[in-house]
Amino acid sequence: MKIKISALLFLLFFFCHLSFSQSSNFTWWNPATAVFPVLEGQAWPKELNNPYDRLPARAEKVATEQVWGLSRQSAGLMIRFRSNAAEFKIRYTVGGKQALPHMPATGVSGVDLYAVSSDGDWRWCAGKYAFADTIAYDFKNIEPNDNYHKLGREYRLFLPLYNNVKWLEIGVQEGATFTPLAVRPDKPIVAYGTSIMQGACASRPGMAWTAILGRKLDRPFINLGFSGNGKMEKEMIDLVAEIDAKMYILDCLPNLTIRPDSKTSVPAEEVRKRILDGVRTIRKKRPGVPIAMAEHAGYTDEDINKVNRQYYQEVNQILREAFAQLKSEGIQEIYIIPKEDFGQDIETMVDGTHPTDLGMMRYADGYEKHIRKILHEPAGEIVTTIPRTQMRELANYDWEARHKEILELNKQTPPKTILIGNSITHFWGGLPKGPRATGENSWNETFGKTGVTNMGYGWDRIENVLWRIYHGELDGFNARQIFVNIGTNNLEHNTDDEIVEGWQLLISSMKFRQPQAEILMMGIYPRKNQEVRVAGLNTKLAQLTGASDVRFINPGSVFLQKDGEIDEALFSDGLHPNAKGYSILGAAIKPFLK
């Protein structure tokens, strides 16, 4: 089997002997044999009894028997890989019942395959399945590639919600490329809660609200939902606080309703105490990390069932009172997600408590609305305002690998000057190095060799830069200047107004993360046969920068002749400058450097 992987993964794969097996013209890969973490959704990957567990082995001594048993179920676990295969087979075994009375086998014990196109759009793969001693899924008739290259796309395989995986293998046809992808470097959103969070009653794993929200935000999630047992005990809160999270979600109230006729019901004062103690514990361990507390989303029959109505109203009131007390203590970065924002009604639940797929979608929508505000990651309705990845130029460079390299470079050598852009910036020069550097000398003459990071990515559009900013490329340091040249790759796909709207969101996101930096929005560089449109857009960009209190410069005007057309002698293809073009461009930018 031919395997396409990055240089780093090449060494890991072949020197550490990652094992594949062959049968019936398919080559099989077992994630448990990977030499680097590939199971996303685990907070303690080095401390597990079994590869698909959710809690560390030591938790068996402190968690309740019920929680420990549920932690063996693979809710929220996900595997990423790249491939250009036209067919995927998944085979695995599980340790429990394959279905529940109110939840189908495809949700309890099934897997779910999604794909990400080279433009960052989500795709879903329909599979034929057979539930026997060994469960088998067959995903056929997949178009192997998008329109950019022949190296396939990224896939994400979501694992069973309510069963424990004993072993699992992914099979692809011989001759197809297959690259397992490492767990992403982003800090995860950690969610602790009940059966609803674990995934009941989604029809398939990708429809659990944590999975939906993970795709909407494109962030790793740790799903610590435990059916009937999300009760905020001290032992569990201590474990949750161990995780270095982007933010925490506490959604436990459905398991904390006060039911006088139940031996396992928690008294009202104990519910209040657990909320207060839980938030204080996490805040002490993780200062400044946002904590979102969800109200009980209610019941399908709440308008006709007084008892159920009282159950959720009582715990929601306790939560609001506890929240007010925590705020009075000076605890910051805590939030409430109100019941109404989850949008549950008589059409959204299976049994009055557990959401259908529609209910799960509404849960995710409610959370997204608040989390985007909490994390300062707003998104709009048009493509230029929806952050997304891309993989358009995989044959030339690895977009994800470059993102990781920039994060590491920023950590090791915090930059004072940043250039954000597309291939014109990427292939100019500087660090991190690209696949080529057409203007290395002029880059060094303009910016120097230290204190500057090249954040250009070949074929990037505005929405791709927005994703990169939301995912840490401007975090953890204080830049002096940020030069931005982006938008030329949007010309073919977006209107001028859509491009301006994308710029506006981009500017606000940069100002929030680097308030001390001087932001210089550079006009789109003129390109062959697009000179007039580019000039009009640059006028709009200049107006936008005035309203946004950032600077506009237009160094690309040096590429124009007196007749308003580009001087093709300065370009290799009418878009990308040659060495002479880069030299002239650098000279035009240099006066603005501090």
Side-chain angles (χ1 to χ4, degrees):
M1 175 182 176
K2 179 174 68 176
I3 302 173
K4 293 290 291 180
I5 52 181
S6 67
L8 175 60
L9 294 184
F10 182 90
L11 293 174
L12 288 170
F13 270 69
F14 287 91
F15 284 100
C16 297
H17 306 292
L18 183 63
S19 64
F20 288 76
S21 61
Q22 294 185 339
S23 65
S24 303
N25 298 319
F26 270 73
T27 301
W28 296 87
W29 173 66
N30 184 338
T33 66
V35 296
F36 52 87
V38 296
L39 278 165
E40 197 157 280
Q42 292 177 325
W44 300 272
K46 297 180 180 179
E47 299 184 57
L48 304 174
N49 269 345
N50 298 295
Y52 299 95
D53 287 355
R54 290 186 289 156
L55 291 181
R58 56 186 163 84
E60 185 174 10
K61 297 180 180 179
V62 297
T64 65
E65 182 179 351
Q66 292 84 356
V67 167
W68 177 248
L70 291 163
S71 76
R72 315 300 293 275
Q73 298 173 347
S74 55
L77 301 193
M78 184 263 287
I79 299 166
R80 299 189 309 134
F81 58 88
R82 290 181 191 155
S83 179
N84 64 359
E87 182 177 2
F88 299 99
K89 292 179 181 289
I90 317 294
R91 61 190 185 191
Y92 59 100
T93 60
V94 296
K97 294 181 180 179
Q98 292 183 348
L100 296 172
H102 61 333
M103 187 173 177
T106 51
V108 173
S109 305
V111 296
D112 209 359
L113 187 63
Y114 284 74
V116 186
S117 77
S118 292
D119 283 325
D121 297 313
W122 286 100
R123 304 284 185 258
W124 180 73
C125 306
K128 300 294 185 182
Y129 44 82
F131 285 81
D133 290 342
T134 296
I135 300 173
Y137 272 71
D138 192 358
F139 299 92
K140 288 184 175 181
N141 303 319
I142 295 173
E143 293 182 354
N145 302 292
D146 299 315
N147 298 323
Y148 296 95
H149 50 74
K150 301 298 182 182
L151 300 175
R153 62 180 69 86
E154 179 182 332
Y155 292 87
R156 300 187 184 183
L157 182 70
F158 294 86
L159 301 190
L161 295 170
Y162 268 81
N163 223 323
N164 60 302
V165 176
K166 292 184 173 180
W167 63 267
L168 179 145
E169 291 182 330
I170 300 172
V172 297
Q173 299 156 306
E174 291 180 24
T177 64
F178 183 85
T179 305
L181 295 175
V183 170
R184 291 172 288 178
D186 306 76
K187 291 183 178 182
I189 294 175
V190 176
Y192 170 51
T194 69
S195 56
I196 299 169
M197 183 181 291
Q198 185 171 342
C201 289
S203 65
R204 47 188 174 84
M207 290 307 297
W209 71 256
T210 54
I212 298 169
L213 188 56
R215 292 192 298 275
K216 285 174 172 287
L217 300 173
D218 202 12
R219 289 197 170 277
F221 252 81
I222 304 290
N223 183 332
L224 295 180
F226 301 104
S227 181
N229 286 274
K231 296 185 176 182
M232 294 192 68
E233 300 99 330
K234 178 184 183 302
E235 295 79 7
M236 289 305 302
I237 291 294
D238 287 342
L239 284 168
V240 169
E242 289 182 12
I243 307 169
D244 186 11
K246 181 73 175 178
M247 69 171 291
Y248 299 92
I249 295 172
L250 302 177
D251 192 345
C252 294
L253 294 193
N255 286 164
L256 291 172
T257 54
I258 295 93
R259 300 172 182 251
D261 58 340
S262 171
K263 294 181 180 179
T264 60
S265 176
V266 179
E269 281 307 311
E270 179 63 18
V271 172
R272 180 178 288 103
K273 182 177 185 300
R274 291 188 186 186
I275 294 170
L276 294 171
D277 290 349
V279 172
R280 290 166 182 156
T281 296
I282 295 173
R283 175 54 68 242
K284 183 177 180 180
K285 180 74 173 180
R286 303 291 176 184
V289 180
I291 303 170
M293 293 168 278
E295 288 190 355
H296 193 309
Y299 301 95
T300 298
D301 65 347
E302 64 189 47
D303 290 328
I304 203 170
N305 186 324
K306 179 180 179 181
V307 175
N308 277 351
R309 186 164 63 248
Q310 181 179 340
Y311 284 157
Y312 83 75
Q313 288 177 341
E314 187 172 9
V315 290
N316 284 349
Q317 182 61 30
I318 291 172
L319 175 63
R320 295 181 197 123
E321 293 170 358
F323 180 83
Q325 181 172 335
L326 291 165
K327 293 292 286 185
S328 72
E329 295 172 7
I331 295 179
Q332 301 300 315
E333 291 294 321
I334 57 174
Y335 305 87
I336 281 185
I337 314 294
K339 170 188 182 293
E340 292 72 23
D341 287 352
F342 292 124
Q344 302 300 310
D345 60 35
I346 63 172
E347 313 294 352
T348 64
M349 295 185 187
V350 171
D351 54 3
T353 301
H354 299 98
T356 61
D357 290 351
L358 175 60
M360 290 291 186
M361 287 291 296
R362 291 189 183 174
Y363 256 99
D365 289 344
Y367 270 114
E368 182 188 16
K369 171 184 173 182
H370 288 271
I371 290 176
R372 286 203 175 277
K373 291 179 181 178
I374 293 169
L375 298 181
H376 305 282
E377 296 178 2
E381 297 296 327
I382 61 174
V383 68
T384 55
T385 63
I386 302 172
R388 62 184 58 205
T389 61
Q390 60 103 340
M391 202 171 66
R392 303 182 183 102
E393 207 168 345
L394 187 58
N396 196 21
Y397 82 101
D398 187 321
W399 195 92
E400 181 175 325
R402 182 166 177 81
H403 172 61
K404 292 179 182 178
E405 194 173 4
I406 284 174
L407 294 180
E408 189 59 33
L409 180 63
N410 288 347
K411 188 183 300 183
Q412 294 177 355
T413 310
K416 289 300 180 183
T417 303
I418 294 167
L419 271 76
I420 293 175
N422 46 52
S423 57
I424 299 172
T425 302
H426 187 179
F427 304 143
W428 189 347
L431 296 175
K433 287 186 175 297
R436 64 179 184 273
T438 304
E440 187 73 41
N441 290 337
S442 62
W443 175 280
N444 292 336
E445 290 171 3
T446 304
F447 305 106
K449 295 183 178 181
T450 60
V452 58
T453 295
N454 182 333
M455 293 188 187
Y457 288 63
W459 228 324
D460 251 17
R461 300 175 190 162
I462 295 169
E463 57 268 26
N464 306 130
V465 176
L466 190 62
W467 186 97
R468 296 196 275 121
I469 289 172
Y470 286 179
H471 288 258
E473 290 194 8
L474 293 184
D475 295 344
F477 61 91
N478 293 318
R480 183 169 53 240
Q481 287 183 298
I482 302 173
F483 291 81
V484 184
N485 175 255
I486 195 69
T488 195
N489 291 322
N490 291 91
L491 294 176
E492 183 181 349
H493 307 279
N494 302 107
T495 66
D496 288 5
D497 288 345
E498 289 172 340
I499 291 171
V500 171
E501 193 168 341
W503 278 334
Q504 186 173 17
L505 186 54
L506 192 62
I507 288 169
S508 65
S509 70
M510 291 187 293
K511 290 179 69 175
F512 175 78
R513 288 160 178 80
Q514 292 283 339
Q516 79 297 324
E518 180 186 27
I519 297 173
L520 299 95
M521 296 295 294
M522 298 191 285
I524 296 176
Y525 301 143
R527 55 188 294 177
K528 187 175 181 179
N529 300 326
Q530 295 266 15
E531 293 93 341
V532 174
R533 185 183 178 193
V534 166
L537 262 171
N538 287 345
T539 297
K540 293 180 179 180
L541 177 58
Q543 294 170 343
L544 174 63
T545 58
S548 304
D549 194 27
V550 298
R551 194 168 183 181
F552 171 78
I553 62 174
N554 193 22
S557 61
V558 298
F559 293 134
L560 293 172
Q561 302 177 112
K562 292 182 179 179
D563 61 3
E565 296 183 355
I566 64 167
D567 182 350
E568 293 192 46
L570 302 177
F571 292 83
S572 61
D573 56 6
L575 171 64
H576 298 91
N578 55 27
K580 183 179 179 181
Y582 275 123
S583 180
I584 294 173
L585 179 63
I589 293 174
K590 194 168 185 177
F592 299 101
L593 287 164
K594 292 181 179 179

